Amino acid sequence: MVERTEEQHSAKMKKKQAAHDRIVASRTVEKGLLIVHTGKGKGKTTAALGMVVRAIGHGRKVGVVQFVKGAMTTGEKVVFDAFPQNVAFKPMGEGFTWDTQDRARDMAVAREAWEEVKRMIADPSYDMVLADELNIVLRYDYLPLDEVLETLAARPEMKHVIVTGRNAPQALIDMADLATEMTLLKHPFREQGVKAQAGIEY
Amino acid sequence: MVERTEEQHSAKMKKKQAAHDRIVASRTVEKGLLIVHTGKGKGKTTAALGMVVRAIGHGRKVGVVQFVKGAMTTGEKVVFDAFPQNVAFKPMGEGFTWDTQDRARDMAVAREAWEEVKRMIADPSYDMVLADELNIVLRYDYLPLDEVLETLAARPEMKHVIVTGRNAPQALIDMADLATEMTLLKHPFREQGVKAQAGIEY
């Protein structure tokens, strides 16, 4: 850091504050956002979960549909269960995965999960819908991308939808209001042989 | 997607599954992780919050110290309040920020928050400590980096510590077990004039 006098510091901070205030004042639009978390790093599902928790805390109703078993498990379920009026959690992907090696079955699981997402998007009682790991299903062509994009584009105006998973289709990112890429800088699993631990991975 | 027969698909998935199983079996280490969320994108605090929620769900005790007012607010507080035995939430940064333009005061606030983090790290009843936006305080040299690194390096073996904020010092990333950079791909605030909304920003 460059050394600054107290006065210089104060002047700089005042400028920052004023710039920040101007930006906030210029933001007047309220709308349902399409949010995409992608990339190979950690935190895609976890950050979505954090948004769900915030929405719950504000008394909103959230639908969570899990396309692939794994990322969201017992830890968050206990917390969701404490707010039964606010969260509908559908772990549809229990039947999905490399375990089955059955493409037709995986496609059926993906279709069922997607129909649940569509139902929640159409249902006015839901403020937010999380389609967890939908990108993975799209990556394997288990659902038609066009149908997914059309449904998301036609969603009710105030409905927030969060889509997670690596390899988000570019067309989905293009449509998104907010897209974040989680990039791996360092990972203990690979480098140190650390196993999954409660509160970190599940 | 390249078209594959059912057999080819099944064989590929079996291979993926076997590789995944081998990797999981090789992971035997359990340890407290130092986790860093940095970058200019969204989701640094939110993903940390998701980890806190998971840990709570597993009955772990988590200390949350907020160095700068803002990122974590009422939404998560309602959820934390539902698990009073599991979360100690200290919004120390209420007095901090550009609002004050008072460097001496901001340094005092940062010091107080850091002492709270140190106390939680030393207290065996805490399984996880979140130092939210600590990187910002370090960026402004409001705390000595060496002291922070020494404390983190000397933490109890099973203690998870999460540090968030843009501009993480390289030395902190080097020390981390898991470091993720959140990169902004698209942001509605800038591009569409969308204001902060419940469940998304707070």
Side-chain angles (χ1 to χ4, degrees):
Chain A
M1 274 304 274
V2 177
E3 284 295 322
R4 283 196 294 267
T5 65
E6 292 304 306
E7 260 173 51
Q8 283 172 322
H9 177 79
S10 176
K12 187 183 169 190
M13 288 305 188
K14 271 186 186 133
K15 225 169 148 180
K16 250 186 198 285
Q17 173 70 18
H20 181 254
D21 288 351
R22 275 196 305 277
I23 291 165
V24 169
S26 72
R27 292 171 189 158
T28 53
V29 178
E30 262 188 274
K31 59 172 277 194
L33 302 178
L34 175 60
I35 296 165
V36 175
H37 293 170
T38 193
K40 292 184 180 175
K42 310 292 293 178
K44 297 181 290 290
T45 292
T46 318
L49 173 64
M51 286 187 166
V52 170
V53 165
R54 286 185 170 155
I56 291 171
H58 286 283
R60 308 298 163 95
K61 189 174 171 190
V62 185
V64 178
V65 177
Q66 192 180 22
F67 279 78
V68 178
K69 188 184 171 177
M72 207 172 291
T73 54
T74 49
E76 37 272 64
K77 183 137 186 6
V78 170
V79 176
F80 291 165
D81 285 350
F83 297 87
Q85 307 304 315
N86 297 102
V87 192
F89 177 46
K90 308 273 178 183
M92 314 290 286
E94 294 294 324
F96 181 96
T97 137
W98 347 110
D99 286 317
T100 68
Q101 281 108 36
D102 182 338
R103 188 178 199 166
R105 189 176 157 208
D106 283 355
M107 286 181 83
V109 168
R111 167 55 59 184
E112 201 186 346
W114 173 242
E115 292 299 326
E116 189 63 33
V117 169
K118 284 207 288 190
R119 194 187 64 71
M120 289 170 166
I121 288 177
D123 180 343
S125 76
Y126 287 94
D127 300 291
M128 179 185 281
V129 181
L130 165 56
D132 189 51
E133 304 287 11
L134 171 57
N135 289 336
I136 290 184
V137 164
L138 293 173
R139 172 75 168 176
Y140 281 102
D141 275 341
Y142 286 173
L143 283 173
L145 178 59
D146 285 350
E147 180 187 337
V148 170
L149 295 178
E150 274 164 32
T151 301
L152 295 175
R155 75 189 187 281
E157 205 188 333
M158 292 308 298
K159 185 93 48 173
H160 299 300
V161 178
I162 311 172
V163 177
T164 70
R166 54 173 71 188
N167 296 309
Q170 188 57 47
L172 180 64
I173 293 173
D174 291 343
M175 182 184 283
D177 298 292
L178 175 59
T180 305
E181 181 167 1
M182 277 68 171
T183 308
L184 189 71
L185 296 178
K186 238 184 149 179
H187 197 312
F189 282 27
R190 292 192 186 157
E191 290 157 27
Q192 301 175 32
V194 173
K195 70 179 187 181
Q197 293 176 94
I200 305 292
E201 289 288 313
Y202 62 92
Chain B
M1 276 300 275
V2 178
E3 284 294 324
R4 282 196 295 268
T5 66
E6 291 304 306
E7 260 173 51
Q8 282 171 322
H9 177 79
S10 175
K12 189 186 167 187
M13 288 305 188
K14 270 184 187 134
K15 225 168 148 180
K16 251 186 199 284
Q17 173 71 17
H20 181 255
D21 288 351
R22 273 196 307 275
I23 291 165
V24 169
S26 72
R27 292 173 189 157
T28 53
V29 179
E30 261 189 274
K31 57 172 279 194
L33 301 179
L34 175 60
I35 296 165
V36 176
H37 293 169
T38 193
K40 291 184 180 174
K42 311 290 294 179
K44 298 180 289 291
T45 292
T46 318
L49 173 64
M51 285 187 168
V52 170
V53 165
R54 286 185 170 154
I56 291 170
H58 286 284
R60 308 298 162 96
K61 189 173 170 190
V62 185
V64 178
V65 176
Q66 193 180 21
F67 278 78
V68 178
K69 189 184 170 176
M72 207 173 291
T73 55
T74 48
E76 37 274 64
K77 184 142 185 3
V78 170
V79 176
F80 291 165
D81 286 350
F83 297 87
Q85 307 304 315
N86 297 102
V87 191
F89 177 46
K90 308 274 176 182
M92 313 291 287
E94 294 294 324
F96 180 97
T97 143
W98 348 108
D99 286 318
T100 69
Q101 281 107 37
D102 182 339
R103 188 178 200 167
R105 191 178 156 208
D106 282 357
M107 288 182 83
V109 168
R111 168 55 59 184
E112 201 186 346
W114 174 241
E115 292 300 325
E116 189 63 32
V117 169
K118 284 207 288 190
R119 194 187 64 72
M120 289 169 164
I121 288 176
D123 181 343
S125 76
Y126 288 93
D127 300 291
M128 178 185 280
V129 181
L130 165 56
D132 188 51
E133 303 288 12
L134 171 58
N135 290 336
I136 290 184
V137 164
L138 293 173
R139 172 74 168 177
Y140 281 103
D141 274 342
Y142 286 172
L143 282 173
L145 178 59
D146 285 351
E147 180 187 337
V148 170
L149 294 177
E150 274 164 32
T151 302
L152 295 175
R155 75 190 187 280
E157 205 187 333
M158 291 309 297
K159 184 93 48 171
H160 298 301
V161 178
I162 311 172
V163 177
T164 71
R166 54 173 72 189
N167 295 309
Q170 189 57 48
L172 180 64
I173 294 173
D174 292 343
M175 183 184 282
D177 297 294
L178 174 58
T180 305
E181 181 167 0
M182 277 67 172
T183 307
L184 190 71
L185 296 178
K186 239 184 149 180
H187 195 312
F189 282 26
R190 293 195 185 154
E191 290 158 29
Q192 301 176 31
V194 173
K195 70 179 185 180
Q197 293 175 93
I200 304 294
E201 288 289 311
Y202 62 92

